[in-house]
């Protein structure tokens, strides 16, 4: 069975054998892309995505070379059959057993119950494809971060609805840790701290947000966030 970890640095195993490091950034990024996007992809589209600034013939030649490098690495661990590559398409071979942490993350999110959401957050304990800086990878990282933080906010709301303000505060801090400029997470933290009797801490959280927004984006908090802070200052 193929086992792939995409949270953190790319790591792949076939059974009990590690796939050796794949030489070259393009082949490594290509394998990560195929693992992250299940299914078969047209060769021309993949070639154009990874080698957009060269002639089609050169892009296709580079794709062939990258696929050869990937297959050699998979073969070294006894899993060459996991790479599908014919004249029309490339991808991770469908129908063969595999576990990919990003796919499991999506499955847990789809389940939607609090226990599954907590398992999803625990599974994504490192940034997605942290060792890649391709444009497609950066886009995927942004999309994943949004899903992850939104999931954490759902868990915080569930804890608050259940009357567990301490857990709700913890979830708010976890959301901010992953997206320190997300105002909705800061507002949740401010509200929950104030509801817990920690109004001074709530105002401190606001000042930290204000400083971060000014330093990194050159903007002030939104009117909604400022109104909340003013309400807290007035002791309401």
């Amino acid at each position: 069975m193929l086992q792939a970890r995409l949270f953190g640095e790319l790591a792949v195993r076939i059974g009990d054998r590690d796939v050796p490091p794949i030489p070259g950034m393009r082949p490594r990024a290509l394998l990560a892309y195929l693992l992250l996007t299940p299914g078969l992809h047209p060769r021309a589209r993949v070639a154009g995505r990874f080698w957009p600034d060269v002639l089609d013939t050169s892009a296709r030649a580079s794709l062939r070379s990258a696929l050869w490098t990937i297959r050699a690495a998979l073969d070294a661990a006894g899993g060459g059959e996991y790479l599908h590559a014919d004249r029309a398409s490339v991808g991770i071979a469908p129908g063969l057993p595999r576990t990919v942490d990003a796919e499991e993350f999506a499955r847990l999110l789809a389940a939607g119950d609090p226990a599954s959401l907590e398992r999803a957050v625990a599974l994504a304990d490192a940034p997605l494809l942290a060792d890649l800086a391709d444009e497609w990878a950066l886009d995927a990282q942004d999309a994943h971060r949004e899903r992850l933080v939104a999931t954490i906010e759902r868990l915080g709301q569930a804890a608050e609805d259940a009357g567990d303000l301490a857990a709700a505060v913890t979830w708010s801090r976890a959301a901010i840790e992953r997206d320190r400029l997300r105002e909705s997470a800061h507002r949740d933290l401010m509200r929950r701290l104030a509801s817990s009797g920690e109004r001074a801490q709530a105002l401190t959280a606001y000042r930290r947000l204000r400083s971060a927004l000014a330093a990194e984006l050159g903007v002030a908090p939104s009117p909604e966030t400022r109104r909340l802070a003013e309400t807290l200052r007035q002791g309401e």
Side-chain angles (χ1 to χ4, degrees):
M1 175 183 288
L2 180 147
Q3 305 167 65
R5 179 166 178 82
L6 305 185
F7 295 126
E9 295 187 358
L10 174 66
V12 183
R13 290 172 63 86
I14 306 294
D16 59 355
R17 299 169 64 183
D18 290 332
V19 173
I22 297 174
M25 286 301 298
R26 290 292 88 190
R28 183 177 179 82
L30 176 58
L31 176 58
Y33 175 80
L34 297 178
L35 289 166
L36 184 63
T37 55
L40 302 182
H41 307 271
R43 290 182 76 107
R45 184 182 303 166
V46 174
R49 176 181 289 274
F50 280 84
W51 293 273
D53 301 322
V54 300
L55 295 174
D56 288 348
T57 53
S58 296
R60 287 175 177 271
S62 296
L63 175 60
R64 286 194 300 271
S65 176
L67 291 171
W68 185 90
T69 300
I70 292 170
R71 189 180 298 280
L74 292 174
D75 276 334
E81 71 274 13
Y82 275 94
L83 179 63
H84 170 94
D86 59 25
R87 294 178 62 85
S89 61
V90 300
I92 300 301
L96 296 179
R98 69 173 187 264
T99 60
V100 180
D101 56 358
E103 291 182 0
E104 176 66 6
F105 177 82
R107 188 191 69 78
L108 291 168
L109 289 193
D113 60 279
S116 294
L117 297 182
E118 288 192 34
R119 287 171 58 197
V121 172
L123 182 63
D125 61 349
L128 178 69
L129 298 174
D131 54 340
L132 296 183
D134 294 29
E135 184 175 352
W136 69 266
L138 296 177
D139 290 341
Q141 290 161 11
D142 288 343
H144 168 70
R145 186 183 306 109
E146 174 62 30
R147 288 193 298 270
L148 177 61
V149 175
T151 300
I152 293 172
E153 288 185 323
R154 286 177 62 186
L155 288 166
Q157 188 60 55
E160 182 178 352
D161 292 344
D164 191 346
L165 282 175
V169 166
T170 298
W171 285 119
S172 292
R173 294 192 189 281
I176 292 168
E177 181 181 350
R178 290 162 176 81
D179 188 350
R180 62 192 304 266
L181 301 181
R182 191 181 184 92
E183 288 198 52
S184 60
H186 283 274
R187 287 195 298 271
D188 286 342
L189 177 61
M190 293 161 61
R191 285 191 305 98
R192 290 163 183 167
L193 285 171
S195 296
S196 302
E198 301 290 350
R199 187 163 60 91
Q201 287 191 38
L203 290 170
T204 297
Y206 171 72
R207 288 192 290 270
R208 288 173 177 165
L209 169 64
R210 185 179 60 190
S211 297
L213 288 172
E216 298 192 28
L217 301 179
V219 300
S222 68
E224 182 180 359
T225 305
R226 295 200 302 271
R227 284 194 298 270
L228 175 58
E230 185 59 30
T231 298
L232 295 178
R233 288 193 190 97
Q234 295 172 3
E236 299 179 10

